[in-house]
């Protein structure tokens, strides 16, 4: 681990919950966090980005039952701040378990294992917003015209895309707020911020970028590889 990842005394303690227990249905039924991306598992890329922030003191990864029972060697020796536990049947349940596995932290960041890249500035800004007492969600403004569509495929309306954003991760919150949010009903939750919004606590959008993509379908892995190749070409 590089020296700049040593926590500064007195600085905010950030715990990270990483849901990695999905079954990757849209990818053809694979554990996406363990897919190879340019020579390393998708999850390894994500963890490297998260661990690069020196304020991160703990990371808990929620894994599928097989991986949790016998974590791969690379994960076990990656960094002393990383622990694993078994996730649940839904993303929300996996996040809930990961949060309960975190110790004493001031802020909690949630980041999908299926998002291999964690832009440093985006993570940093999310942490800063959470440190101010609000929730933070990384996202990008919709670029296509958006439609609401009813049953049978009939278009209902064309909402103003100027206020529509794609919500991504990282998302960051004061730890007590997120823990309270996860005590409620999780059945409707597709992200963490929505549970915090439900408590009436302000959540701020933090502008992400094209690097914040989620590996969802096979084409996403190709895009991620192309991004990495391009970035490596630009290195001196
Ligand atoms: N996840 C999880 N536990 C679940 C379901 C999802 O930890 N029971 C995690 C995934 O591993 C992923 C993140 O939540 O890192 C975002 O979920 P998604 O991209 O939907 O992954 P999957 O649920 O695995 O994919 P799919 O929906 O296509 O089955
Ligand atoms: Mg899913």
């Amino acid at each position: 681990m590089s020296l700049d990842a040593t926590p500064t005394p007195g600085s905010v303690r950030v715990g990270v919950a990483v849901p990695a227990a999905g079954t990757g249905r849209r990818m053809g039924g694979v554990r996406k966090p363990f897919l190879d991306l340019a020579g390393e598992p998708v999850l390894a890329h994500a963890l490297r980005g998260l661990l690069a922030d020196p304020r991160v003191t703990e990371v808990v990864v929620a894994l599928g039952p097989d991986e949790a029972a016998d974590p791969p060697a690379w994960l076990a020796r990656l960094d002393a701040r990383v622990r694993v536990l078994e996730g649940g049947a839904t993303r929300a349940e996996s996040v809930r378990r990961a949060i309960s596995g975190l110790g004493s932290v001031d802020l909690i960041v949630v980041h999908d294992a299926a998002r291999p890249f964690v832009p440093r500035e985006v993570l940093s800004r999310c942490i800063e917003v959470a440190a101010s007492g609000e929730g933070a969600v990384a996202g990008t403004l919709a670029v296509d015209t958006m439609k609401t569509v009813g049953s049978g495929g009939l278009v209902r309306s064309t909402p103003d895309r100027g206020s529509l954003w794609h919500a991504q991760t990282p998302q960051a919150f004061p730890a007590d707020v997120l823990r309270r949010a996860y005590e409620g009903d999780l059945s409707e939750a597709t992200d963490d911020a929505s549970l915090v919004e439900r408590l009436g606590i302000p959540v701020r959008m933090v502008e992400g970028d094209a690097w914040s993509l989620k590996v969802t379908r096979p084409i996403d892995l190709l895009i991620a590889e192309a991004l990495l190749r391009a970035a490596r070409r630009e290195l001196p």
Side-chain angles (χ1 to χ4, degrees):
M1 202 70 256
S2 66
L3 282 178
D4 70 359
T6 311
T8 325
S11 70
V12 66
R13 293 164 304 174
V14 178
V16 185
V18 180
T23 50
R25 192 179 36 81
R26 288 166 289 179
M27 195 75 186
V30 288
R31 298 258 184 223
K32 298 184 297 187
F34 296 96
L35 284 179
D36 181 87
L37 168 57
E40 273 184 308
V42 167
L43 174 62
H45 288 273
L47 289 175
R48 186 166 347 91
L50 295 162
L51 291 163
D53 194 301
R55 293 164 292 189
V56 169
T57 54
E58 291 181 48
V59 179
V60 172
V61 186
L63 295 172
D66 292 349
E67 289 84 7
D70 185 19
W74 68 264
L75 183 53
R77 60 165 187 261
L78 183 67
D79 189 290
R81 291 172 285 171
V82 177
R83 293 196 308 283
V84 303
L85 46 68
E86 187 174 328
T90 62
R91 178 189 184 279
E93 178 56 21
S94 295
V95 174
R96 194 190 64 73
R97 291 187 189 188
I99 289 171
S100 11
L102 287 168
S104 182
V105 290
D106 306 305
L107 309 178
I108 298 177
V109 169
V110 183
H111 183 71
D112 289 331
R115 295 185 188 274
F117 309 123
V118 188
R120 185 181 286 254
E121 284 307 309
V122 176
L123 175 61
S124 197
R125 179 89 186 101
C126 286
I127 290 173
E128 277 150 30
V129 170
S132 79
E134 296 180 335
V137 47
T140 53
L141 191 59
V143 288
D144 296 314
T145 295
M146 307 298 283
K147 304 279 184 191
T148 63
V149 180
S151 59
L154 267 191
V155 171
R156 280 204 192 117
S157 66
T158 306
D160 171 21
R161 76 167 184 221
S163 62
L164 288 175
W165 291 67
H166 296 274
Q168 306 166 330
T169 70
Q171 303 193 0
F173 311 89
D176 56 335
V177 166
L178 191 65
R179 289 195 156 115
R180 194 146 41 90
Y182 266 90
E183 281 166 11
D185 173 26
L186 304 180
S187 58
E188 303 287 313
T190 57
D191 78 345
D192 317 289
S194 60
L195 297 171
V196 170
E197 291 155 35
R198 193 169 68 182
L199 295 178
I201 288 159
V203 174
R204 192 169 293 278
M205 185 59 77
V206 169
E207 188 148 11
D209 61 33
W211 281 88
S212 308
L213 68 97
K214 179 155 72 70
V215 173
T216 305
R217 289 155 295 208
I219 194 172
D220 300 313
L221 204 54
L222 298 176
I223 296 170
E225 260 160 12
L227 281 171
L228 263 186
R229 265 201 311 275
R232 284 176 183 168
R233 266 202 307 274
E234 276 168 25
L235 287 177

